[in-house]
Amino acid sequence: MAGAGMLGLVAYIQYQASQGAAYAVDLFGRAKEGVTGAATGVFDGAGDVFGRMGRGWDKTKENVEGIRLEMPAWMRDIYEGKTGQEDGGGAGGGGGPKGEGKASNVGFAGAGAATAAAFSLDKDGEEDDRSASDAARDDQMMLLTRKMIEIRSLLQTIGQSETLTLPSIVVVGSQSSGKSSVLEAIVGHEFLPKGSNMVTRRPIELTLVNTPKAQAEYGEFPALGLGKITDFTQIQKTLTDLNLAVPEADCVSDDPIQLRIHSPNVPDLSLIDLPGYIQVEAFDQPTELKMKIQDLCDKYIQPPNVILAISAADVDLANSTALRASRRVDPRGERTIGVVTKMDLVDPERGAQILADRNYPLRLGYVGVVCKIPKDSKSLFSRGSANIINQLTKNESAYFSAHPETFTEVTTGTPNLRKKLMHVLEATMSASLASTQEAIQHELAEATYEFKVQYNERSLSAESYLAESLDAFKHGFKGFSDTFGRKEVREIVKHELDQQVLNLLAQRYWNRPVDSLRPIDPVMDIAEKENVKALPKADPENPLWQLKLDASTSTLTKLGIGRLATGVAAQALQEGVQSLVSNSTFASHPFAVQEMTKASEGILNDLSYDTSDELEICVKPYKYRVEVDGQEWARGRDNIGKVLQRELKDCEVANRAVEEQLGGRRKAKDVLSFIDRVRSGDLVLEGPVDGVGGAGGFSAALLAKGREALFLRDRSEILRLRLAAIKSRQCSNPANKYACPEIFLDAVADKLTSTADLFLDAELLSKFYYQFPRVLERQFRALDEGTVERFAREDPKIRRHLDVVRRKELLEHVLKEMEGLRMLEAREKRSSSRGTQTVREVGGKKKGWGIF
């Protein structure tokens, strides 16, 4: 057993430098198996070892002493057996020399396991054959960080409270300190804005997402909706445009730009890049720019955010603007990481002194980097960020490896910086989870109370609101289609044709020169001597009267009934749709009103084009011959009487309005009396009449209004005469149509209306009622999610309801994610604790290893 112990000691000394502690532990295991298997073989092997030790013992003593001096203090304690003495002896128990010897042998086993863990990273801090437990812990940490960053993104969408947030790493530094180079070295791409003037004018919230299985690297701007951008030159251009959009008068803005970069070559980090500090404003910059930048940076470097203070190596730390700003909000340096860039611009000894500076201590320490982009960067960019990162790391490592003794006690290199950022962000976020979770629970309680009291727990989404609004409108449209049918179309078409009949009667039967209202001298016009009594009497035997009626009938039938009837029907439908929209929930949504109006107009235009042509064909026979029977004549006689009554009533109403404009009935009577005397010849106008000064003491404007009153009075008199004629016995017989043209033309209009309403009901109304709801359904279903959201938020009440529902759902989701995160964190801690226990057991706590 003593020989086996000595064998293990010699083997440990000989192979530590080359094979590491893992090999030593394995050798101890083989020694143990040899002892328990065959004692004779052990003693033979020990004798052989003693022989070799005798031949080179002096040299071995020197090697042992050199290795012991190079060991760290904790490893030297284990090697010398101090841990075993403190524990009260080895596995065999007891005290005295035997106990000390056993404790010392146990220390060798502990040293093997601890050395393996300690040297899993080489001196440059890069991974060198990591153990499975280390890799698993790093993966677990990355998973935790990724989950926390996702929760932070969700909290950003909720907003409204400073307590609802998780920490980020805020990058601050003066201009030209190397901020952009550090961030681009971490990402592996040149993507930040560049320029001679101040180009970073807005905070850039940069979220790095590690995607191991991603086929390509890409970035996205969540607030802009530009999709995945794989060209980082385009990302740089977009960032430049967004920054330069800030007016030069303001220079900086606190409206952040959100950018997410997905890549298998980046760690999971949440960074915020801020405009660089300046010392003196340029002549074309506002004088308050320096204070604006300082206030903006002070806003972001408040707790619990981690500060990444960038300083150049060729600038003394006493003059570092970033350290000065962090000292104001973090005087003890507990959440500040110092990054010293451009380390290759100073002597190595000076660089090491800066990193080990004790005058400006930071609990998280300093990291020195050399972030030089390789000269062949364009070709590297084309091959991906992995090549860029490897080349940057290689260049950086070449510089620091050239001075190994100088940078032994300090942290250097971008890989170490990336690891430090990951660990610090994970620890800081973990520390903020409890307080953030309490704030979320408080906010959730308030949102739940508001949701219950104000909205009676009625769930609502933009899609459901659009669907409900569309269903309600379609229900109203169904009611409109039931109330607007053939009967209503007949009424509006007949009313339009009645007006055309009145126009024909006025032009061919009731016309007088004074009635034309042509824009001529009102003073000269009042001298016209025709009056109602001067109108010609009807003479049915006169061919002129027969020709006049035939011409009027031809004009009416060739008026373009198809276009006229289709136009008035389509206009009525459009007005009905607009009335429905104005009384529906869509009234407060300009976008929906525009789309629905456009849809209805498009359908009606398409239908009207064909319908009008087909209707013209249907009424074509009436253009050549129209026969009216006794029943149609009686119906026309009754209808035209009502039409003339309405026209007479309208004339009387208009006449009263003109009288008021003339200054009352008495004034109007005086003007009309003057005009009547002139027309009858009782009064002769003397002297030149220029039409400007008027006549008879009345102004030209007053005489013009008098002409209107005269027209309305004569028209009313004519209408009374024709009403009396229609009611006479002569107009009761269809054979007297030339003496009663009003009745015959009305009968013709009724025939045209009957044909039109039947055709319009089948070809226009039915098709429109079928197509319009389905077109709306397709259009609204084709809307993307963003458009539907904007539509719903146009209504202030719905916007508030949606905000409450969305806030409540997001808070519930975030709280659920945080509960899962806490469980994941607890599982990680238990796993780490088991790993520590395993190391201790390897160090000699197991009973089976007590034989050493």
Side-chain angles (χ1 to χ4, degrees):
M1 291 177 61
M6 187 61 68
L7 177 63
L9 171 62
V10 174
Y12 174 78
I13 295 174
Q14 289 180 343
Y15 290 95
Q16 180 184 12
S18 60
Q19 299 296 328
Y23 182 82
V25 172
D26 181 67
L27 187 61
F28 294 157
R30 292 200 302 269
K32 174 186 175 183
E33 292 175 358
V35 171
T36 57
T40 305
V42 172
F43 284 109
D44 292 339
D48 182 67
V49 171
F50 289 151
R52 284 185 291 170
M53 289 179 60
R55 290 190 297 268
W57 178 246
D58 294 337
K59 184 176 181 180
T60 303
K61 286 174 59 179
E62 296 176 359
N63 293 337
V64 170
E65 184 63 20
I67 293 174
R68 188 185 67 82
L69 293 176
E70 293 179 0
M71 289 181 180
W74 58 271
M75 188 180 296
R76 199 159 48 241
D77 292 340
I78 296 175
Y79 172 75
E80 294 174 357
K82 294 182 179 180
T83 304
Q85 294 173 2
E86 293 173 359
D87 292 339
K98 293 183 180 181
E100 293 175 4
K102 292 177 181 180
S104 177
N105 292 329
V106 173
F108 286 126
T115 305
F119 285 88
S120 60
L121 298 177
D122 60 14
K123 64 181 180 180
D124 291 329
E126 299 180 7
E127 298 183 22
D128 184 15
D129 299 330
R130 294 183 305 165
S131 64
S133 60
D134 292 335
R137 186 186 182 285
D138 286 347
D139 293 341
Q140 191 82 350
M141 186 190 68
M142 290 182 67
L143 178 61
L144 286 172
T145 307
R146 184 182 300 116
K147 286 289 186 181
M148 292 178 185
I149 291 176
E150 292 175 359
I151 292 176
R152 181 183 180 276
S153 300
L154 290 174
L155 292 176
Q156 283 180 332
T157 61
I158 298 175
Q160 297 182 357
S161 176
E162 294 182 356
T163 58
L164 292 182
T165 184
L166 284 174
S168 293
I169 299 175
V170 182
V171 185
V172 295
S174 60
Q175 290 188 10
S176 303
S177 62
K179 288 194 304 93
S180 300
S181 299
V182 172
L183 291 177
E184 290 175 346
I186 293 175
V187 175
H189 281 284
E190 188 176 357
F191 68 97
L192 291 173
K194 300 290 193 302
S196 57
N197 200 355
M198 181 178 174
V199 290
T200 304
R201 303 180 180 182
R202 296 171 58 183
I204 301 176
E205 295 183 354
L206 177 62
T207 302
L208 304 183
V209 182
N210 181 267
T211 52
K213 299 181 181 180
Q215 298 294 329
E217 303 170 293
Y218 64 90
E220 57 183 357
F221 295 88
L224 302 181
L226 299 178
K228 298 179 180 179
I229 306 175
T230 57
D231 185 3
F232 280 77
T233 304
Q234 183 63 32
I235 294 178
Q236 186 180 45
K237 183 179 182 301
T238 304
L239 286 174
T240 303
D241 294 340
L242 291 174
N243 278 281
L244 295 181
V246 179
E248 294 185 0
D250 298 335
C251 275
V252 293
S253 170
D254 60 354
D255 183 21
I257 302 172
Q258 295 181 355
L259 171 62
R260 295 178 183 174
I261 294 179
H262 301 254
S263 170
N265 305 311
V266 298
D268 290 293
L269 289 176
S270 176
L271 303 163
I272 301 177
D273 184 28
L274 296 176
Y277 291 105
I278 62 172
Q279 300 299 327
V280 180
E281 299 86 357
F283 71 94
D284 57 345
Q285 294 175 337
T287 56
E288 67 275 9
L289 176 60
K290 180 179 178 180
M291 291 303 301
K292 282 187 175 182
I293 296 176
Q294 180 175 322
D295 294 341
L296 177 62
C297 294
D298 287 347
K299 174 183 176 181
Y300 278 90
I301 60 178
Q302 300 297 326
N305 286 340
V306 178
I307 305 171
L308 191 66
I310 309 294
S311 304
D314 55 350
V315 177
D316 192 73
L317 291 182
N319 299 322
S320 172
T321 312
L323 289 178
R324 188 182 308 119
S326 66
R327 184 66 62 88
R328 288 197 304 270
V329 296
D330 183 27
R332 300 175 60 181
E334 294 181 346
R335 54 185 183 88
T336 302
I337 302 175
V339 178
V340 182
T341 61
K342 307 177 183 179
M343 291 288 293
D344 56 334
L345 298 184
V346 296
D347 295 335
E349 292 76 10
R350 175 56 184 160
Q353 292 176 0
I354 295 174
L355 298 179
D357 193 283
R358 293 294 179 266
N359 295 325
Y360 307 96
L362 299 177
R363 188 177 67 86
L364 301 178
Y366 291 87
V367 181
V369 294
V370 180
C371 300
K372 277 188 175 181
I373 301 295
K375 295 181 180 180
D376 56 343
S377 59
K378 292 185 179 180
S379 61
L380 288 174
F381 288 152
S382 63
R383 294 197 295 267
S385 65
N387 293 295
I388 302 171
I389 294 174
N390 291 337
Q391 187 63 33
L392 285 171
T393 304
K394 182 179 179 180
N395 294 344
E396 193 175 44
S397 299
Y399 172 75
F400 290 117
S401 299
H403 314 282
E405 299 85 2
T406 307
F407 298 106
T408 302
E409 302 296 333
V410 294
T411 305
T412 58
T414 304
N416 275 336
L417 176 61
R418 290 157 61 104
K419 294 175 185 177
K420 181 182 284 289
L421 293 179
M422 290 173 58
H423 285 276
V424 171
L425 183 61
E426 190 263 346
T428 309
M429 284 186 168
S430 298
S432 302
L433 280 180
S435 60
T436 304
Q437 188 173 12
E438 292 178 0
I440 292 174
Q441 292 173 345
H442 177 71
E443 294 282 342
L444 179 59
E446 292 184 353
T448 303
Y449 178 80
E450 183 178 3
F451 180 63
K452 181 178 181 180
V453 172
Q454 294 192 9
Y455 304 105
N456 198 24
E457 296 184 341
R458 184 173 70 90
S459 182
L460 182 69
S461 65
E463 291 78 9
S464 64
Y465 172 70
L466 175 60
E468 292 174 2
S469 301
L470 186 58
D471 288 343
F473 179 80
K474 289 163 63 177
H475 180 74
F477 183 75
K478 180 65 171 59
F480 169 74
S481 65
D482 293 338
T483 57
F484 189 85
R486 180 181 176 184
K487 178 182 177 181
E488 288 71 27
V489 171
R490 177 181 178 82
E491 290 178 356
I492 60 175
V493 173
K494 187 61 171 64
H495 176 75
E496 189 66 26
L497 290 179
D498 288 342
Q499 295 301 316
Q500 297 298 328
V501 169
L502 290 176
N503 292 337
L504 287 173
L505 291 171
Q507 292 172 6
R508 300 183 185 275
Y509 294 95
W510 307 338
N511 58 325
R512 295 174 60 245
V514 74
D515 293 341
S516 62
L517 291 177
R518 58 190 181 277
I520 58 177
D521 193 336
V523 179
M524 298 303 296
D525 274 347
I526 63 175
E528 298 287 347
K529 297 183 178 180
E530 285 86 354
N531 52 31
V532 175
K533 296 179 181 179
L535 290 175
K537 301 297 181 180
D539 186 4
E541 302 299 330
N542 190 342
L544 180 63
W545 284 91
Q546 297 176 9
L547 185 62
K548 185 181 291 189
L549 181 59
D550 293 340
S552 300
T553 303
S554 177
T555 301
L556 183 61
T557 57
K558 296 179 181 180
L559 188 64
I561 299 301
R563 184 175 63 255
L564 178 66
T566 305
V568 296
Q571 183 179 1
L573 288 173
Q574 185 65 31
E575 291 175 354
V577 170
Q578 292 179 350
S579 177
L580 284 175
V581 172
S582 62
N583 294 322
S584 67
T585 54
F586 291 109
S588 57
H589 303 282
F591 166 77
V593 172
Q594 179 182 358
E595 291 298 317
M596 298 174 78
T597 303
K598 186 187 300 182
S600 62
E601 288 178 349
I603 296 173
L604 289 173
N605 288 337
D606 294 340
L607 293 176
S608 298
Y609 182 79
D610 296 332
T611 303
S612 61
D613 290 345
E614 295 172 359
L615 182 56
E616 283 291 339
I617 298 174
C618 291
V619 300
K620 190 174 183 179
Y622 295 117
K623 297 179 181 180
Y624 301 97
R625 186 176 181 180
V626 180
E627 296 291 341
V628 178
D629 58 21
Q631 187 177 2
E632 292 172 343
W633 181 270
R635 190 164 56 248
R637 182 185 182 189
D638 181 65
N639 184 71
I640 195 63
K642 295 177 181 178
V643 172
L644 294 179
Q645 286 284 0
R646 289 196 300 268
E647 184 71 12
L648 177 60
K649 184 178 180 180
D650 292 341
C651 286
E652 292 174 349
V653 172
N655 189 32
R656 286 194 294 270
V658 173
E659 287 179 353
E660 293 178 0
Q661 294 176 1
L662 288 172
R665 180 172 296 182
R666 178 175 296 180
K667 186 72 172 178
K669 184 178 180 180
D670 293 342
V671 175
L672 291 179
S673 177
F674 171 75
I675 296 175
D676 285 337
R677 290 199 305 273
V678 173
R679 291 173 63 182
S680 62
D682 296 340
L683 180 63
V684 179
L685 298 177
E686 299 179 355
V689 181
D690 55 6
V692 178
F698 300 106
S699 65
L702 203 60
L703 292 176
K705 286 294 180 183
R707 286 184 63 247
E708 293 182 19
L710 183 64
F711 166 79
L712 293 171
R713 187 192 68 180
D714 291 347
R715 172 60 64 90
S716 299
E717 187 176 351
I718 293 173
L719 290 173
R720 291 188 185 95
L721 289 175
R722 295 314 300 165
L723 279 170
I726 290 171
K727 294 178 181 179
S728 66
R729 181 177 297 179
Q730 182 184 17
C731 289
S732 62
N733 189 354
N736 298 324
K737 63 179 182 180
Y738 297 111
C740 307
E742 298 90 351
I743 300 176
F744 183 78
L745 291 175
D746 186 86
V748 174
D750 186 70
K751 284 179 173 291
L752 296 174
T753 302
S754 298
T755 304
D757 65 27
L758 182 63
F759 193 82
L760 290 174
D761 181 59
E763 293 297 324
L764 183 65
L765 269 65
S766 298
K767 292 182 178 180
F768 179 73
Y769 292 155
Y770 177 81
Q771 294 182 18
F772 183 56
R774 288 162 178 79
V775 170
L776 287 183
E777 187 78 22
R778 286 197 304 269
Q779 286 186 348
F780 283 110
R781 284 184 180 274
L783 297 177
D784 57 73
E785 185 177 351
T787 304
V788 174
E789 187 74 18
R790 288 193 299 271
F791 159 78
R793 290 183 171 277
E794 288 178 344
D795 190 334
K797 294 182 179 179
I798 299 300
R799 180 170 63 249
R800 178 57 185 166
H801 193 169
L802 288 175
D803 287 340
V804 173
V805 173
R806 182 171 178 270
R807 183 175 179 82
K808 177 177 175 295
E809 291 176 351
L810 277 176
L811 287 170
E812 290 174 346
H813 176 64
V814 171
L815 194 60
K816 182 179 179 180
E817 290 290 330
M818 294 195 72
E819 290 291 345
L821 185 60
R822 297 292 292 270
M823 295 175 61
L824 187 64
E825 187 182 24
R827 192 183 309 121
E828 193 273 339
K829 289 182 178 179
R830 289 196 299 269
S831 177
S832 177
S833 177
R834 286 196 298 269
T836 304
Q837 181 66 25
T838 302
V839 171
R840 291 178 179 174
E841 291 174 353
V842 172
K845 295 297 183 180
K846 288 185 178 181
K847 294 181 179 179
W849 288 53
I851 57 175
F852 285 90

